[in-house]
Amino acid sequence: KHLERCFHGTDSAQTRGNVLQLLARADRAQLSAGTVKQCVELAEVAARDNDPRVYGQAPALAEHFGAAVTLVERQPATAADVLPLLASADPERGKAVFFDRQRADCLTCHRVDGRGTAFAPSLSDIGRRARPAEILESILTPSQKITEGFAVTNLITRDGRVLSGVVNAETLSTIELFQADGRQLEVEKSEVAHRELSKTSIMPANFGLLLAP
C-alpha cells in the first residue's frame, strides 16, 4: 500500500521506476490475493506511461505476479511535432523539468544563470543564440551537431583504464579532463595508449521519448 501511494504520489519517473523494481522483488507468497491484483494493475498502468524508466519496469513486475502486459508502441517526438506547440507552452513547466534532477536533470552538465556544471555549453542566453528549431534538434538528436569544444575525449591508459571527459587544458606532457561530475582529472600523456574524440554526445539520446509532448 505504501509503495503504491509512492508511485501515484510523485511526478518523478525515477522514483516510480524504483517503486516498481521494489515491488518486483516482493515475496508473492506473503501477499494477499488483493495485493497481488493491485500490483498487476500497477504494472498495467506503468506499461502505458510515457517514460522508459517507468514502462521499462512493467513487464518484469507483471511477470513476477504471474501476469503479462503489452507495452504501447512509442514513437519519439520530433522537432516537427513540438514546434507547433511552443506558442502555447508553459515556461514554468519547462523550468521545472529543466531544474528537476529526477526528470531532465539538465544541470548535471549545463549552467544557467550561475547554476549547474560547465561540462556542456552554458544555456543562459540560448534563446538569443539559437532558433527554436535548432534548440529542439539539439535536444532530440544531440549527436547530430556537437558544439565545438564540448566533444568528449576518450582515453585508454597503458594499464587498461578508460577515462572520459571534455579536454579542459592540455600541455606537452599532460591532458586535463573535465568530467560530468564536476571533477577535473589530470592525465600524464606518457600513460595514454590510445586517444579518440567521441562522435556521440554525452547528452542522452532518448529525450524524444522522455519529454514527449
Side-chain angles (χ1 to χ4, degrees), residues 58-83:
L61 177 60
E63 183 179 358
H64 183 68
F65 291 103
V69 294
T70 301
L71 297 182
V72 177
E73 184 177 353
R74 295 165 175 82
Q75 295 297 326
T78 65
D81 297 327
V82 179
L83 273 173

Short mmCIF file of all heavy atoms in Angstrom, two decimals, residues 58-83:
data_model
loop_
_atom_site.label_atom_id
_atom_site.label_comp_id
_atom_site.label_asym_id
_atom_site.label_seq_id
_atom_site.Cartn_x
_atom_site.Cartn_y
_atom_site.Cartn_z
N ALA A 58 7.59 -2.43 -16.24
CA ALA A 58 6.26 -3.05 -16.21
C ALA A 58 6.26 -4.55 -16.52
O ALA A 58 5.63 -5.34 -15.80
CB ALA A 58 5.30 -2.32 -17.14
N PRO A 59 6.95 -5.02 -17.57
CA PRO A 59 6.90 -6.45 -17.89
C PRO A 59 7.42 -7.34 -16.75
O PRO A 59 6.82 -8.38 -16.43
CB PRO A 59 7.79 -6.58 -19.13
CG PRO A 59 7.72 -5.22 -19.77
CD PRO A 59 7.68 -4.27 -18.62
N ALA A 60 8.53 -6.93 -16.12
CA ALA A 60 9.10 -7.74 -15.05
C ALA A 60 8.17 -7.78 -13.85
O ALA A 60 8.03 -8.84 -13.19
CB ALA A 60 10.46 -7.18 -14.64
N LEU A 61 7.53 -6.66 -13.55
CA LEU A 61 6.60 -6.62 -12.42
C LEU A 61 5.41 -7.54 -12.67
O LEU A 61 5.00 -8.33 -11.80
CB LEU A 61 6.13 -5.19 -12.17
CG LEU A 61 5.09 -5.01 -11.05
CD1 LEU A 61 5.65 -5.49 -9.72
CD2 LEU A 61 4.65 -3.55 -10.96
N ALA A 62 4.83 -7.43 -13.86
CA ALA A 62 3.68 -8.28 -14.19
C ALA A 62 4.07 -9.76 -14.14
O ALA A 62 3.33 -10.59 -13.59
CB ALA A 62 3.15 -7.91 -15.57
N GLU A 63 5.21 -10.10 -14.72
CA GLU A 63 5.66 -11.49 -14.75
C GLU A 63 5.87 -12.04 -13.33
O GLU A 63 5.57 -13.20 -13.04
CB GLU A 63 6.95 -11.61 -15.55
CG GLU A 63 7.46 -13.04 -15.69
CD GLU A 63 8.73 -13.12 -16.51
OE1 GLU A 63 9.19 -12.06 -16.99
OE2 GLU A 63 9.28 -14.23 -16.65
N HIS A 64 6.40 -11.19 -12.45
CA HIS A 64 6.64 -11.61 -11.06
C HIS A 64 5.35 -12.05 -10.38
O HIS A 64 5.37 -12.92 -9.51
CB HIS A 64 7.28 -10.45 -10.29
CG HIS A 64 7.63 -10.77 -8.88
ND1 HIS A 64 8.63 -11.66 -8.54
CD2 HIS A 64 7.10 -10.34 -7.69
CE1 HIS A 64 8.72 -11.76 -7.23
NE2 HIS A 64 7.80 -10.96 -6.69
N PHE A 65 4.24 -11.43 -10.79
CA PHE A 65 2.96 -11.77 -10.18
C PHE A 65 2.08 -12.61 -11.10
O PHE A 65 0.86 -12.63 -10.99
CB PHE A 65 2.23 -10.49 -9.75
CG PHE A 65 2.89 -9.81 -8.59
CD1 PHE A 65 3.67 -8.67 -8.77
CD2 PHE A 65 2.78 -10.32 -7.30
CE1 PHE A 65 4.31 -8.06 -7.71
CE2 PHE A 65 3.41 -9.72 -6.23
CZ PHE A 65 4.18 -8.58 -6.43
N GLY A 66 2.73 -13.30 -12.03
CA GLY A 66 2.02 -14.28 -12.86
C GLY A 66 1.15 -13.71 -13.94
O GLY A 66 0.19 -14.35 -14.36
N ALA A 67 1.47 -12.52 -14.40
CA ALA A 67 0.66 -11.89 -15.45
C ALA A 67 1.58 -11.40 -16.57
O ALA A 67 2.78 -11.65 -16.57
CB ALA A 67 -0.13 -10.72 -14.86
N ALA A 68 0.99 -10.73 -17.53
CA ALA A 68 1.76 -10.17 -18.64
C ALA A 68 1.12 -8.86 -19.06
O ALA A 68 -0.09 -8.67 -18.92
CB ALA A 68 1.79 -11.13 -19.83
N VAL A 69 1.95 -7.95 -19.54
CA VAL A 69 1.44 -6.67 -20.04
C VAL A 69 1.99 -6.44 -21.44
O VAL A 69 3.04 -6.97 -21.81
CB VAL A 69 1.84 -5.49 -19.12
CG1 VAL A 69 1.19 -5.60 -17.77
CG2 VAL A 69 3.37 -5.39 -19.00
N THR A 70 1.25 -5.66 -22.20
CA THR A 70 1.68 -5.30 -23.55
C THR A 70 2.09 -3.84 -23.55
O THR A 70 1.29 -2.97 -23.17
CB THR A 70 0.55 -5.53 -24.57
OG1 THR A 70 0.16 -6.90 -24.55
CG2 THR A 70 1.01 -5.15 -25.97
N LEU A 71 3.32 -3.56 -23.93
CA LEU A 71 3.79 -2.19 -23.97
C LEU A 71 3.24 -1.48 -25.20
O LEU A 71 3.17 -2.05 -26.29
CB LEU A 71 5.32 -2.14 -24.00
CG LEU A 71 6.04 -2.70 -22.77
CD1 LEU A 71 7.54 -2.55 -22.93
CD2 LEU A 71 5.58 -2.01 -21.49
N VAL A 72 2.86 -0.23 -25.02
CA VAL A 72 2.37 0.59 -26.12
C VAL A 72 3.56 0.96 -27.00
O VAL A 72 4.62 1.36 -26.50
CB VAL A 72 1.69 1.86 -25.59
CG1 VAL A 72 1.26 2.76 -26.74
CG2 VAL A 72 0.52 1.51 -24.70
N GLU A 73 3.41 0.81 -28.30
CA GLU A 73 4.48 1.20 -29.20
C GLU A 73 4.60 2.72 -29.22
O GLU A 73 3.63 3.43 -29.45
CB GLU A 73 4.21 0.70 -30.62
CG GLU A 73 5.35 0.98 -31.58
CD GLU A 73 5.11 0.42 -32.97
OE1 GLU A 73 4.12 -0.31 -33.16
OE2 GLU A 73 5.91 0.72 -33.87
N ARG A 74 5.79 3.19 -28.94
CA ARG A 74 6.01 4.62 -28.82
C ARG A 74 6.95 5.13 -29.91
O ARG A 74 7.95 4.49 -30.20
CB ARG A 74 6.59 4.96 -27.45
CG ARG A 74 5.63 4.65 -26.30
CD ARG A 74 6.37 4.65 -24.99
NE ARG A 74 5.45 4.47 -23.87
CZ ARG A 74 4.99 3.29 -23.47
NH1 ARG A 74 5.39 2.19 -24.09
NH2 ARG A 74 4.15 3.20 -22.46
N GLN A 75 6.61 6.28 -30.44
CA GLN A 75 7.48 6.94 -31.41
C GLN A 75 8.06 8.18 -30.74
O GLN A 75 7.33 8.96 -30.13
CB GLN A 75 6.70 7.33 -32.66
CG GLN A 75 6.15 6.16 -33.45
CD GLN A 75 7.26 5.27 -34.00
OE1 GLN A 75 8.34 5.75 -34.36
NE2 GLN A 75 7.02 3.97 -34.03
N PRO A 76 9.36 8.38 -30.82
CA PRO A 76 9.94 9.57 -30.20
C PRO A 76 9.44 10.85 -30.85
O PRO A 76 9.14 10.88 -32.05
CB PRO A 76 11.44 9.39 -30.44
CG PRO A 76 11.55 8.46 -31.60
CD PRO A 76 10.37 7.55 -31.51
N ALA A 77 9.32 11.90 -30.05
CA ALA A 77 8.90 13.20 -30.57
C ALA A 77 9.95 13.74 -31.52
O ALA A 77 11.14 13.47 -31.38
CB ALA A 77 8.69 14.16 -29.41
N THR A 78 9.50 14.49 -32.50
CA THR A 78 10.40 15.15 -33.44
C THR A 78 10.21 16.65 -33.33
O THR A 78 9.23 17.14 -32.73
CB THR A 78 10.11 14.72 -34.88
OG1 THR A 78 8.79 15.19 -35.25
CG2 THR A 78 10.15 13.20 -35.03
N ALA A 79 11.14 17.39 -33.91
CA ALA A 79 11.01 18.85 -33.90
C ALA A 79 9.71 19.28 -34.58
O ALA A 79 9.06 20.24 -34.14
CB ALA A 79 12.21 19.48 -34.60
N ALA A 80 9.32 18.57 -35.62
CA ALA A 80 8.07 18.91 -36.33
C ALA A 80 6.85 18.71 -35.42
O ALA A 80 5.86 19.43 -35.55
CB ALA A 80 7.94 18.05 -37.59
N ASP A 81 6.93 17.73 -34.51
CA ASP A 81 5.83 17.50 -33.57
C ASP A 81 5.74 18.64 -32.55
O ASP A 81 4.65 19.06 -32.15
CB ASP A 81 6.04 16.19 -32.78
CG ASP A 81 6.02 14.96 -33.67
OD1 ASP A 81 5.29 14.97 -34.68
OD2 ASP A 81 6.74 14.00 -33.35
N VAL A 82 6.90 19.10 -32.10
CA VAL A 82 6.96 20.01 -30.96
C VAL A 82 6.83 21.48 -31.35
O VAL A 82 6.21 22.27 -30.62
CB VAL A 82 8.27 19.79 -30.17
CG1 VAL A 82 8.36 20.76 -28.99
CG2 VAL A 82 8.36 18.34 -29.70
N LEU A 83 7.39 21.88 -32.49
CA LEU A 83 7.41 23.29 -32.87
C LEU A 83 6.02 23.96 -32.82
O LEU A 83 5.90 25.07 -32.30
CB LEU A 83 8.02 23.45 -34.26
CG LEU A 83 9.54 23.59 -34.31
CD1 LEU A 83 10.02 23.57 -35.75
CD2 LEU A 83 9.99 24.89 -33.63
#
